[in-house]
Structures are given as C-alpha cells and as structure tokens.
C-alpha cells in the first residue's frame, strides 16, 4: 500500500476514535441537544459540521507546524501528557456556561448559521480542538493532515448527532457517569501508549 494512503487511513481512523471519545459528555453535545429542542436536527447537524470543519482545519494546521518544528520524542511525550490531561478533564466534566446556554436557547434566524456560530465559538480552546492539534503533531505529510482533519470532523459530527438522537429518545436521561469514566479510561490508554512509543522508539 502506498505510504501516503496508509498514513491517511491510520490518521483518519485514530482521529475519528479519539475525537468521538473526546466529544462524549462534552459541552458541545449539550449545546447540540439544546439546539435540537428549538430547530430540526438536520440544520443543526449541518451547522455543527461547518463549524467543526473550520475549527479542525485551523487545529490541524497548528498541529502540523508544531510537528514539523519539534523533535519526535518530545512531540510524543507532550502528546501523551496531553491525552492523560484530557482524561482528567473528561472525569471532571464539562458543562455549558450560562452565556452559552442562553445563546443556544435564544438563537434566532437560520438554524445552520446559528449553530455554526455557536459551535465555532464553543470549540475554540475546547478539549476536542486541543486533541485535534495533538493528533496533527503525530501524523505529518498530506496523508496525515487530511486524515486527521477528516477523522476528527466526522467523529465530532457523529458524536453530536448521536447525542441529539439518543437524547430525544431517552429524554436526555443518559448514563452520564458511565460515559465520562469510559471516555477518560480510553484517553488514559492513548496517553500511556504514546508515552511507551516515545521511549521505545527513542
């Protein structure tokens, strides 16, 4: 298999899994649920997709530049610490601020535009954005860049879409604690794996 294709497939699969996990219990899911109570699900998902695609494109660009400028060992080690940090962040929980909840509840006009703007602002500095930057430092080259962007974008959109569907079916009664613990454990596993890889390939 062509190395670029192999890198693309690996980057897409890993980024999808990581961002999907990162989005579980994230405030973006709560915002998606809030928008879905006001608008139809499809326009909300389109808005989420647009915002996510833009934010993650910027994140991948930042991660690519950092990855090209720093030694591989330190990139892997910092990424490992970051993922363990994401695990702790997930256990702590993530809630909408009063301002974010108010924006989601009172948005008017096009659902696509309202959701796009709200999600774009909510994702700036969020753990999914930081996780995407971290992933982009691990997968260099065009195959890696495109794979991380595609996988992270699709992972987030599907996670938020599931939140809307399941939330509507169950009346928002989701096993929040179990989701947080499961997602945190997966982040810890990714962190340990990256740390081991950093030292074994040094």
């Amino acid at each position: 298999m062509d190395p670029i294709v192999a890198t693309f497939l690996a980057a897409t699969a890993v980024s999808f899994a990581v961002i999907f996990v990162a989005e579980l219990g994230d405030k973006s899911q709560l915002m998606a649920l809030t928008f879905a109570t006001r608008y139809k699900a499809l326009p909300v998902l389109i808005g989420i997709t647009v915002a996510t695609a833009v934010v993650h494109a910027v994140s991948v660009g930042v991660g690519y530049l950092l990855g090209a400028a720093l030694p591989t060992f330190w990139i892997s080690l910092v990424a490992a610490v970051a993922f363990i940090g994401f695990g702790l962040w997930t256990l702590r929980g993530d809630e909408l601020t009063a301002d974010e909840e108010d924006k989601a509840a009172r948005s008017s006009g096009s659902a696509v535009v309202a959701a796009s703007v709200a999600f774009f602002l909510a994702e700036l500095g969020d753990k999914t954005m930081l996780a995407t930057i971290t992933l982009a430092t691990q997968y260099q080259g065009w195959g890696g860049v495109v794979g991380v962007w595609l996988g992270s974008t699709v992972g987030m959109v599907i996670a938020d879409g599931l939140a809307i569907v399941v939330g509507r079916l169950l009346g928002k009664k989701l096993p929040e604690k179990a989701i947080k613990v499961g997602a945190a454990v997966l982040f810890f596993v990714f962190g340990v794996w990256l740390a081991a890889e950093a030292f074994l390939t040094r």
Side-chain angles (χ1 to χ4, degrees):
M1 184 183 289
D2 185 84
I4 295 177
V5 174
T7 301
F8 168 77
L9 293 175
T12 301
V14 172
S15 298
F16 172 85
V18 169
I19 298 304
F20 181 84
V21 168
E23 193 64 6
L24 296 177
D26 189 71
K27 65 181 178 182
S28 299
Q29 278 194 325
L30 301 176
M31 189 174 281
L33 276 170
T34 304
F35 268 103
T37 62
R38 184 177 176 87
Y39 301 110
K40 291 182 179 179
L42 184 58
V44 173
L45 281 176
I46 292 172
I48 292 171
T49 303
V50 171
T52 302
V54 173
V55 171
H56 288 190
V58 173
S59 303
V60 167
V62 172
Y64 176 79
L65 293 174
L66 287 174
L70 299 173
T72 305
F73 171 76
W74 289 109
I75 289 173
S76 295
L77 200 58
V78 169
V81 172
F83 276 115
I84 290 170
F86 296 146
L88 294 172
W89 189 342
T90 301
L91 282 177
R92 185 200 68 179
D94 204 2
E95 297 179 354
L96 290 177
T97 64
D99 185 49
E100 288 168 336
E101 195 167 348
D102 187 58
K103 282 179 183 176
R106 298 192 179 204
S107 294
S108 57
S110 168
V112 174
V113 173
S116 294
V117 172
F119 274 84
F120 178 82
L121 296 174
E123 281 304 298
L124 294 178
D126 193 57
K127 70 172 178 285
T128 48
M129 180 182 183
L130 299 177
T132 303
I133 292 173
T134 304
L135 285 164
T137 65
Q138 300 296 303
Y139 295 97
Q140 295 292 291
W142 283 109
V145 167
V146 176
V148 170
W149 175 77
L150 180 63
S152 63
T153 300
V154 173
M156 182 168 166
V157 171
I158 289 179
D160 287 342
L162 283 175
I164 292 171
V165 172
V166 176
R168 282 184 165 183
L169 291 175
L170 301 181
K172 301 184 182 180
K173 293 177 182 177
L174 301 175
E176 188 176 346
K177 187 174 181 181
I179 289 173
K180 283 181 182 179
V181 172
V185 168
L186 288 173
F187 271 122
F188 293 145
V189 169
F190 277 120
V192 171
W193 173 58
L194 284 171
E197 186 178 57
F199 285 102
L200 289 173
T201 58
R202 190 176 185 183

